[in-house]
Amino acid sequence: VYTISMSKLGATCAGLYALVAVYLIATQGLFGESFIAIVLGMPWTLFLVLIEFGGAEGFFSYVLIIIPMLLNALVLYWFGALLGGLFSKQTA
């Protein structure tokens, strides 16, 4: 069983992504003209765009936007943890 321990590099990567996402959403809006939510959720939102979010409205449309962003944060954390593990093995 593979487990990911707490990683400072992973938390930094995911945290920076979250800060940038919050800043962009706060300044441009979630469904603004620049479609910032779709860009922040890529590549997961590409499929949702193709099906036009399944006609989702209201709360469900926000859920469909937030979940890909959370997936990106998890992927960035995992990537940072992986890099942190590689760097720690090289210095040991």
Side-chain angles (χ1 to χ4, degrees), residues 8-54:
K8 290 180 184 178
L9 185 57
T12 301
C13 290
L16 286 174
Y17 171 79
L19 285 174
V20 168
V22 168
Y23 171 77
L24 290 173
I25 290 169
T27 58
Q28 299 180 16
L30 190 59
F31 294 107
E33 291 179 19
S34 62
F35 299 103
I36 197 65
I38 293 171
V39 172
L40 288 170
M42 281 188 173
W44 320 108
T45 52
L46 291 177
F47 174 72
L48 294 173
V49 169
L50 289 176
I51 62 168
E52 296 179 5
F53 291 95

